[in-house]
Amino acid sequence: MTPLDTPAAPRDEAPARAPVLTIPADAPFFIVMNAGSGRKQSAETRAILDRELGAAGRRYELRLVDDPADLSATARRAVADAIAQNGVVVGAGGDGTLCAVAAATLGSGCPYAVLPRGTFNYFSRDHGIPADLEASTRLLLTARAYPVQVGVVNGRMFLVNASLGLYPKLLEDREVYKRQFGRSRLIALFSAMATLLRRHRHLRLHIDHDGERREIRTSTLFVGNNRLQLEQIGMKEAPLLEQGLLAAIAPRALGRLAQIALTLRGAAGRLSDADNVVSFTFRRITVTHPGKRRRRVKIATDGEVTWLNMPLEFHVAPEPLFLLKPEPDIAQANRS
């Protein structure tokens, strides 16, 4: 692995550490859930909320979103109501849904919580939030809100990762396979192998970081904000995220078989051993395409794919998200 920069001494100042918030015992919960995962899951969620929160005498509103296009607007209304009533906004779903609800919450000062209902649940797992719905619902009643770091690319927030190049294509193909064969980690891996066997274009990128410009040729640029995910693929930069940094990973231009071998190495948690991977940590970088500064590129943020105009500005958000999570020692024990 080839580092672009030494991560120990970034020039940008780290954001000041925000305080931990204690949630009032009567704070209502405004829960935004993506109903696209199925009515059965929605009904199960409502039943557990009634049982766990109802028994504690806590008020909540479950706002189901049938059309993903309505998710952001629904989340913004939930934030406005939570601010008015001194409540908590809760996202229920996979990492993409959690990110959309968190984006509406960021900067509002309103506490945010999650009920993980996805396949991988990297965000909740990294913060020690139980995958079991009953346990994560009970946590709402006792947890405090800790400041957590989020990343931003051209004004678009991400909790777990952002990427361009081959990785967004992998995500698009994975959704096709999921619709045909169901949601599982095995299906996701099979889909990735099928995508990597096809021809793909390489990117030539300029990366401006701390006053220096580097050029790389790569199949994908991956920016991580999740220690658990980086640990699983074996990146040594994973612990540095707790110092207010993001991590960038870019495999050098490779053929199809070499790309598959590199992917398998990452699945085995040994990506840091690879010589043909560029990686570094940062608080802010600018990414451009030589000669095509205004080029539009496909970007994936927490599994959701969109188009953005270059240059791409990746940075740590200046304000944190106030996340309801277990106390630090318990959260560490729960990470898996």
Side-chain angles (χ1 to χ4, degrees):
M1 181 178 60
T2 305
L4 280 182
D5 286 275
T6 302
R11 299 177 191 176
D12 293 338
E13 291 296 326
R17 195 65 176 170
V20 177
L21 305 180
T22 299
I23 308 303
D26 60 349
F29 299 105
F30 297 88
I31 304 168
V32 179
M33 180 175 181
N34 183 358
S37 53
R39 290 296 174 183
K40 181 178 179 181
Q41 189 178 87
S42 301
E44 177 192 14
T45 301
R46 187 182 294 276
I48 291 176
L49 292 172
D50 283 340
R51 183 166 66 248
E52 298 295 336
L53 300 184
R58 291 293 286 275
R59 182 165 64 87
Y60 79 90
E61 294 182 17
L62 178 60
R63 302 179 179 185
L64 294 176
V65 180
D66 293 299
D67 185 349
D70 297 331
L71 187 58
S72 294
T74 302
R76 288 193 296 270
R77 289 192 293 270
V79 171
D81 291 340
I83 292 173
Q85 300 179 48
N86 198 25
V88 178
V89 176
V90 184
D95 286 327
T97 298
L98 302 187
C99 182
V101 179
T105 311
L106 185 68
S108 69
C110 185
Y112 175 69
V114 302
L115 299 175
R117 305 294 280 156
T119 302
F120 293 96
N121 299 317
Y122 277 117
F123 179 68
S124 57
R125 290 164 58 203
D126 191 39
H127 292 287
I129 296 169
D132 177 74
L133 183 58
E134 292 186 352
S136 59
T137 301
R138 286 193 294 271
L139 179 65
L140 300 179
L141 300 170
T142 59
R144 295 190 295 166
Y146 285 82
V148 301
Q149 171 179 294
V150 301
V152 178
V153 53
N154 286 24
R156 187 178 179 90
M157 194 192 84
F158 57 95
L159 298 173
V160 179
N161 61 58
S163 59
L164 64 150
L166 181 59
Y167 195 75
K169 177 60 176 173
L170 289 170
L171 295 176
E172 289 181 323
D173 290 350
R174 187 176 75 187
E175 287 306 308
V176 173
Y177 275 80
K178 282 182 177 180
R179 286 194 292 269
Q180 293 179 349
F181 304 109
R183 294 180 175 271
S184 74
R185 298 186 186 188
L186 183 60
I187 293 297
L189 180 60
F190 179 81
S191 169
M193 293 299 105
T195 303
L196 291 173
L197 283 171
R198 305 190 198 114
R199 291 179 61 87
H200 53 269
R201 299 175 62 184
H202 291 119
L203 303 171
R204 190 160 66 96
L205 302 174
H206 285 166
I207 300 179
D208 294 315
H209 178 212
D210 280 348
E212 297 183 5
R213 169 167 288 186
R214 311 271 182 161
E215 181 175 313
I216 61 171
R217 190 166 179 264
T218 181
S219 60
T220 190
L221 174 64
F222 180 94
V223 175
N225 184 45
N226 186 273
R227 176 170 178 167
L228 176 63
Q229 187 178 48
L230 295 183
E231 286 177 343
Q232 286 188 342
I233 62 176
M235 298 306 298
K236 68 179 183 180
E237 288 86 357
L240 297 174
L241 299 186
E242 296 182 359
Q243 299 179 19
L245 301 171
L246 299 172
I249 305 168
R252 297 190 185 278
L254 301 170
R256 280 174 284 180
L257 293 180
Q259 186 76 58
I260 291 175
L262 191 65
T263 301
L264 293 174
R265 182 186 288 269
R270 297 173 49 232
L271 198 60
S272 62
D273 297 336
D275 294 330
N276 48 10
V277 174
V278 174
S279 65
F280 60 101
T281 55
F282 67 92
R283 290 199 177 96
R284 181 181 296 270
I285 59 173
T286 301
V287 179
T288 55
H289 189 282
K292 297 182 180 179
R293 187 169 178 81
R294 290 297 174 183
R295 176 180 177 179
R296 293 183 77 228
V297 292
K298 190 177 289 186
I299 295 286
T301 52
D302 292 348
E304 302 299 318
V305 179
T306 189
W307 290 87
L308 295 177
N309 290 322
M310 282 196 164
L312 299 176
E313 303 279 352
F314 291 90
H315 64 92
V316 177
E319 66 278 342
L321 187 68
F322 288 95
L323 176 69
L324 270 67
K325 54 185 287 188
E327 298 299 313
D329 55 339
I330 299 175
Q332 180 62 33
N334 288 346
R335 289 179 73 247
S336 61

